[in-house]
Amino acid sequence: MRKLIESTFVSLDGVIDDTRPSTASRAEPQNWGSPYWDEKHAGYSGKLMQGTDAFLSGRVTYEAFAEAWGEREGEVADLMNNMPKYVASRTLTEVGPNATLLTGDVAEEVAKLKEQPGGNILKWGTGELDRTLVEHGLVDEFHFWYFPVIVGAGKHLFEGAGFDTTHLKLADIDRFDSGIVVHIYVPK
């Protein structure tokens, strides 16, 4: 069975998406997180990609990644653009190359993906889709990247979650010189 890995950036005050107006086109973690991105950050991202042969995302992350990676060239861009993607959305009617729109019951569709042969399925970012994934016990590993920054306002990790209390077990911790600390959790 394939493993579903959730990886998301979190500020020290629990913010995952700075929704305040910004001079940038999108007020998201890349705005408050990018000062901490270094070789260790890139290396850890690369490590997460090893053994991964598909991405899962909701509409917002899919569109942001398509915009960010679509015009880039090089080894990493080729990997990001050519890897199969599965997109959960109630509003999209079509997706780009190497992407499949998940229709119907998303929990059932993701469970079927996990049963297929292949490597890990990586999901970047936490949002509405995660409520469904956590509620149905579909996430095998969480990688929460805590950045040494206090954002003050914005969308919080699992904000508005309607599922029961979910207990996790700390599996590992990775520290970067930049101050980022990644906590890796697995279901109990």
Side-chain angles (χ1 to χ4, degrees):
M1 180 179 271
R2 300 165 89 178
K3 184 166 41 170
L4 176 57
I5 299 172
E6 162 77 34
S7 178
T8 195
F9 298 162
V10 186
S11 71
L12 291 179
D13 53 343
V15 173
I16 59 169
D17 183 1
D18 181 358
T19 56
R20 294 172 295 174
S22 164
T23 57
S25 61
R26 295 180 66 96
E28 293 186 352
Q30 63 265 26
N31 295 329
W32 48 260
S34 60
Y36 303 96
W37 297 353
D38 57 15
E39 287 182 28
K40 179 93 177 188
H41 178 277
Y44 193 89
S45 293
K47 185 174 89 172
L48 274 175
M49 298 283 288
Q50 292 175 358
T52 295
D53 66 5
F55 292 115
L56 172 66
S57 69
R59 178 193 55 82
V60 173
T61 301
Y62 171 73
E63 289 177 337
F65 271 48
E67 181 181 329
W69 290 99
E71 300 297 319
R72 294 184 189 180
E73 294 181 1
E75 185 179 342
V76 175
D78 290 346
L79 177 66
M80 294 293 287
N81 291 325
N82 294 324
M83 191 169 293
K85 296 160 192 69
Y86 298 94
V87 184
S89 174
R90 290 184 298 271
T91 57
L92 291 176
T93 56
E94 60 182 59
V95 289
N98 296 321
T100 302
L101 189 59
L102 298 178
T103 58
D105 186 299
V106 171
E108 286 179 18
E109 293 298 316
V110 171
K112 287 177 190 175
L113 285 174
K114 289 180 63 174
E115 290 174 2
Q116 295 175 357
N120 297 333
I121 303 167
L122 184 58
K123 183 181 175 307
W124 293 102
T126 300
E128 187 176 337
L129 173 58
D130 292 283
R131 295 180 197 129
T132 300
L133 298 175
V134 171
E135 180 181 2
H136 289 89
L138 293 168
V139 180
D140 300 292
E141 204 170 277
F142 294 91
H143 291 241
F144 297 124
W145 304 51
Y146 289 97
F147 283 69
V149 62
I150 298 168
V151 177
K155 186 175 177 184
H156 286 78
L157 188 63
F158 296 110
E159 186 173 295
F163 50 80
D164 290 334
T165 300
T166 301
H167 296 276
L168 303 172
K169 176 183 172 189
L170 181 63
D172 203 358
I173 296 174
D174 204 332
R175 293 175 175 90
F176 303 176
D177 292 339
S178 66
I180 296 171
V181 179
V182 181
H183 291 186
I184 299 117
Y185 291 97
V186 295
K188 275 192 166 185

